[in-house]
Each structure stands twice: as C-alpha cells, then as structure tokens.
Amino acid sequence: DYFERAPIGGFVLDDDGAVVDTNPAACGLLGRTRADLCGTSLSDLVAEGETVPVVDSDASERVETETRLRGPADDVDVTLDATGLGDGHVLAYVRDISARVATERRLEEGEARYRSVTDALDTPEVGTIILDDEFRVVWVSGAIEAFFDLEEGGLVGFDKVSQIRSELKHIFEDPDGFEETVVASYETNDHVESFTCHVLPDEGREERWLSHWSRPIEQGLYAGGRIERYIDVTETVRREQTLEEQRDGLRALNEMLRHDARNDLQLVEAYAELLDDHV
C-alpha cells in the first residue's frame, strides 16, 4: 500500500504516542530498524529541546508542524503531518527538510553579518551605496538619502547607471563630469580615487561638497558589484574658501599699502625738491 511505498517517513501511533508501525522511508531517515522503532514513543525520537504535538486519534483534523528528529548521525529537520484515524490510532508522515533549513540558516547568518556591516556603514557624515554585480542598488545608507534629498529606499532595486543619467547627475554643479567619472567606473569596474563633487541646494536639499570614491566588491554576497562612498567635506571646503577670501583680502591690502607708500614717497620727494628751490 502507499504507506509502505511512500517516499517519506511514516508512523502509525497509538493513543499514547507510541509507534505501532513504521515504513522503510522512516527507518532510513532515522537509521533504525522497524523492530527497533516499534514500541518507541515518538516524543523520544525528537531531538533535545524539541516537542511533538498531541494529536487526538478520534479527530480528523490535520496537525502540521516543524521539528527535529534524532538521525543516525546528525539531527534531522522535518515537517510532521499527523491525522487521527478514528480507530485509536494516528497516522504521521515526516518529510526531511534539512537542506532547506540549512540554506535558511546560512542566509540568516549572512543577513546578520550583512546587517552588522551596513549598521557600521550607516553614519550621518558618510553616505554609502552598495551595488550588485549588475550594478543594481541593493542598499543605501540614510546619509545618502539626506545628502541627495531622496525618499527612504528610493534608489533600492534600480539600475544605478539609468538613475545617474535620468536624475542623480542633475543635483551636481557639473552633471556631465559626474556622470562621466562614475559611469566609467562601471564599465571597467575599477577603483575610483577621491574626487570632490558639489551638490547644489534646492528645496529640501542643502548645499554640500562631497568627496566620492568607489571600489569593486571582490568577495561575498555582492562579489562583482561595487561600494560607493560619499564623505561630507562641506565644512572643510567652506573653511578653505574663507581662507582663500582672507588671502585675497590680504593681497589686495598689501597692494594698496604698496601703492600708498609709493604715493607718499613721491610726495616727500616733491616737497624736498620744493625746499631745495627756495634755499
């Protein structure tokens, strides 16, 4: 019958949860013989810390859950699907989901590491954009959204090149220069050394000077993609502008003093000649 030939493990349990019968798939899954399993409580077959639901043998409702059973080497992650047969017995099928659970755990661990990295990157002074190997935006820091006056998550999922050409470049003083430098890095996926770009002010957007650099991502989840960083250097640029204005003022003052000194000397010489004429 199907129970005997089923590709997934099957158990027939009595009202107390003891195994009355099992099938070859269950024996293979747990690495035990039918004789060894019969008479064993299903609760004794689950891994430490796990439980199995109590199923009323007279109820026809299915009970589905995920648990772990003691395998021949390692614990086995399974789904358990149990139904009361109405004759004092419960039919339970278990399906091995170890591969799926292992994949989910690896993804969770990767996401946890990814979150720890992005948390470290998310600072108000430094904006970061992460691109996948097709140069789609997969993560944007809050600073980028503030620098560029973007909606939260507004760039995520979009092709970065098309976004630069259609929207982003227009917020910079030199839009064509910004596009040429950044897009060229996608074509070669090379390092881009720091260059300063000027963000123009607009409603909701402050004037800023940003130092931009980018690098290819060589390993990990987004290998083949890029990481781009924009460091706010506005205060530094403004200090330099102020110093340059002060230097210009000093140069003008020095020139004026030199001019005045020449005029004063000419007056003294003329007065001296006048005195000579009357001596």
Side-chain angles (χ1 to χ4, degrees), residues 21-262:
D21 196 9
T22 186
N23 66 1
C27 294
L29 180 67
L30 301 183
R32 300 174 67 172
T33 65
R34 178 173 289 180
D36 186 28
L37 288 172
C38 288
T40 303
S41 172
L42 185 61
S43 60
D44 291 334
L45 298 178
V46 299
E48 184 177 354
E50 299 288 334
T51 59
V52 290
V54 176
V55 181
D56 186 349
S57 61
D58 293 323
S60 58
E61 266 185 36
R62 292 174 58 189
V63 175
E64 296 178 77
T65 188
E66 291 187 8
T67 188
R68 306 185 79 197
L69 301 180
R70 300 179 188 273
D74 298 319
D75 295 338
V76 182
D77 292 284
V78 299
T79 56
L80 185 144
D81 186 343
T83 308
L85 298 177
D87 61 355
H89 294 90
V90 172
L91 177 63
Y93 282 107
V94 292
R95 185 186 302 274
D96 186 354
I97 58 169
S98 299
R100 190 202 79 193
V101 171
T103 299
E104 290 174 349
R105 286 178 184 145
R106 285 195 299 272
L107 288 173
E108 288 173 358
E109 290 169 358
E111 288 172 359
R113 289 194 298 270
Y114 172 71
R115 283 194 298 273
S116 68
V117 170
T118 55
D119 287 347
L121 293 175
D122 200 359
T123 67
E125 300 83 14
V126 181
T128 305
I129 299 175
I130 295 177
L131 311 174
D132 66 14
D133 58 358
E134 295 183 359
F135 305 126
R136 289 189 303 263
V137 180
V138 295
W139 186 76
V140 174
S141 72
I144 288 290
E145 293 165 352
F147 294 168
F148 298 166
D149 188 29
L150 300 173
E151 293 182 3
E152 185 176 354
L155 282 178
V156 174
F158 287 96
D159 170 65
K160 181 75 185 307
V161 175
S162 64
Q163 287 295 299
I164 287 174
R165 288 173 173 160
S166 64
E167 296 182 34
L168 284 183
K169 74 174 188 177
H170 301 294
I171 73 173
F172 294 98
E173 181 180 27
D174 181 13
D176 293 334
F178 177 82
E179 176 188 347
E180 180 180 354
T181 302
V182 177
V183 171
S185 70
Y186 301 156
E187 295 171 354
T188 60
N189 207 15
D190 287 335
H191 289 60
V192 174
E193 300 305 328
S194 296
F195 72 94
T196 300
C197 42
H198 182 196
V199 177
L200 300 176
D202 196 4
E203 183 179 355
R205 185 176 66 237
E206 296 181 18
E207 180 180 36
R208 295 179 191 271
W209 282 264
L210 303 173
S211 176
H212 168 80
W213 65 258
S214 67
R215 301 284 188 275
I217 299 173
E218 298 178 351
Q219 58 185 358
L221 184 61
Y222 298 115
R226 295 189 69 78
I227 180 168
E228 302 180 341
R229 307 204 78 181
Y230 294 81
I231 302 170
D232 189 349
V233 293
T234 303
E235 292 306 314
T236 301
V237 170
R238 285 178 175 159
R239 281 196 298 271
E240 290 174 351
Q241 289 176 338
T242 300
L243 288 172
E244 186 59 33
E245 290 170 358
Q246 291 173 344
R247 283 193 290 267
D248 289 343
L250 287 172
R251 282 193 289 267
L253 179 60
N254 286 335
E255 183 60 33
M256 183 182 69
L257 291 173
R258 282 196 297 270
H259 178 73
D260 290 346
R262 285 195 298 269

